[in-house]
Amino acid sequence: MAKQQPTGADDLRGLIRDLGKLPDAVRKELRPALRRAGTRARTRAQGNASWSRRIPRAIRLQVSFAKRRPGVALSVNKNLAPHARPLENLGKPGSFRHPMFGDRKRWVTQRARPFFFPAAAAEWQQIDRDVAAAVDAAARRHGFR
């Protein structure tokens, strides 16, 4: 079985494991680079959801240096766009059912409009390469090999 290549998140996780808490200088250098890496996916997801007034504004990009889940994460604020999750339908085309205006006696079928998963899938590999490059560059500048 072939050994899997380490991902950008694996590189970041390794750097955090080696250093414990990342020094402020390294965080300050990495945060903008990681944010840039995820911006294309956020922009694509917002473009995919351009049919909605609320969903594009609700899409957020988060950068984390936590030990368990370091890296870049996209999320949709459920308070700003409560309809986003059912319309996403886990990234699958098709339809879903819901009560019409909350009336549980009248149900309607609505077509799903995936916007989030297709954007993430299209940009995933490039984001991973960008994160790995940012981690390598920051580590080298701060004395690691």
Side-chain angles (χ1 to χ4, degrees):
M1 198 150 96
K3 187 174 180 183
Q4 192 176 13
Q5 285 288 93
T7 64
D10 291 337
D11 290 343
L12 184 57
R13 200 173 287 115
L15 183 64
I16 292 170
R17 183 184 58 243
D18 292 345
L19 293 179
K21 183 177 180 219
L22 284 179
D24 290 338
V26 177
R27 281 177 187 253
K28 192 173 184 178
E29 187 175 330
L30 274 176
R31 191 172 301 278
L34 294 180
R35 187 164 286 286
R36 272 192 308 277
T39 299
R40 276 191 310 278
R42 186 187 76 207
T43 303
R44 184 178 282 219
Q46 288 171 330
N48 290 352
S50 63
W51 45 266
S52 171
R53 287 191 326 257
R54 295 185 287 171
I55 293 174
R57 279 193 328 240
I59 298 173
R60 295 285 176 251
L61 177 68
Q62 299 161 327
V63 175
S64 173
F65 295 110
K67 283 186 178 184
R68 286 185 182 253
R69 300 193 72 180
V72 179
L74 286 176
S75 63
V76 180
N77 185 324
K78 67 179 181 181
N79 297 323
L80 294 176
H83 59 297
R85 187 170 183 177
L87 286 169
E88 175 63 23
N89 201 33
L90 294 175
K92 300 175 194 148
S95 60
F96 61 96
R97 292 177 43 84
H98 62 88
M100 181 178 268
F101 301 113
D103 181 3
R104 298 220 174 253
K105 293 178 184 168
R106 294 181 60 198
W107 286 73
V108 294
T109 301
Q110 185 172 347
R111 182 176 61 88
R113 299 183 80 171
F115 62 93
F116 191 79
F117 283 104
E123 296 291 337
W124 181 254
Q125 289 178 341
Q126 185 60 43
I127 290 170
D128 198 42
R129 285 192 292 270
D130 292 348
V131 168
V135 169
D136 287 344
R140 280 194 187 100
R141 272 195 287 282
H142 291 277
F144 293 92
R145 292 181 183 201

